[in-house]
């Protein structure tokens, strides 16, 4: 995840995030399902953020749809927060600043969400 976030350009970041998504899609030895779900949600949130920032709303909406399904299936509050902040990134990129602020505020531990909120 860190390598993706430090990538030189958005396309490289997306490539790394997609690779990480594929890796996390299958159960992993030594990682419980709750932790894997949180990791998957974090990757999807970042995919939605990068896609929204580059104006690829169809792809951003696809990442959010996957995140919505994950949040509904797990009922984990961390995953729910990731879902809401992902929605916030997309709303912000679409110019809906008031609704974006509400969604981004749901993830107060993310420096990127707080930066976007500010």
């Amino acid at each position: 995840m860190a390598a993706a976030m430090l990538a030189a350009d958005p396309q490289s970041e997306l490539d790394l995030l997609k690779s990480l998504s594929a890796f996390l899609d299958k159960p992993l030895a030594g990682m419980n399902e709750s932790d894997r779900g949180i990791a998957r949600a974090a990757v999807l949130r970042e995919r939605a953020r990068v896609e929204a920032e580059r104006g690829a709303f169809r792809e951003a909406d696809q990442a959010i749809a996957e995140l919505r399904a994950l949040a509904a299936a797990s009922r984990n509050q961390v995953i729910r927060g990731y879902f809401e902040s992902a929605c916030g990134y997309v709303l912000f990129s679409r110019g809906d600043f008031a609704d974006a602020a509400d969604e981004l505020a749901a993830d107060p531990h993310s420096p990127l969400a707080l930066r976007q909120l500010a």
Side-chain angles (χ1 to χ4, degrees):
M1 181 72 128
M5 295 182 78
L6 294 172
D9 58 82
Q11 189 57 53
S12 297
E13 184 173 5
L14 285 171
D15 292 343
L16 289 167
L17 289 170
K18 288 176 184 177
S19 175
L20 187 54
S21 282
F23 175 74
L24 291 168
D25 278 345
K26 299 179 276 311
L28 301 168
M31 183 179 228
N32 67 40
E33 285 303 301
S34 176
D35 290 342
R36 189 172 71 88
I38 291 170
R40 288 177 62 212
V43 170
L44 289 167
R45 175 192 60 188
E46 295 310 312
R47 282 179 50 196
R49 178 184 61 79
V50 174
E51 296 288 19
E53 285 177 356
R54 65 186 206 118
F57 294 112
R58 192 174 123 262
E59 291 85 355
D61 289 341
Q62 180 182 355
I64 286 177
E66 291 178 47
L67 191 46
R68 178 182 292 115
L70 185 60
S74 73
R75 302 192 188 278
N76 182 301
Q77 289 300 86
V78 173
I79 293 172
R80 181 71 187 173
Y82 289 171
F83 166 69
E84 290 180 21
S85 61
C87 291
Y89 290 125
V90 174
L91 289 167
F92 184 88
S93 292
R94 288 184 168 147
D96 186 351
F97 304 119
D99 288 334
D102 288 340
E103 299 290 350
L104 290 165
D107 194 4
H109 301 292
S110 169
L112 294 175
L114 293 176
R115 181 189 72 182
Q116 192 73 52
L117 185 58

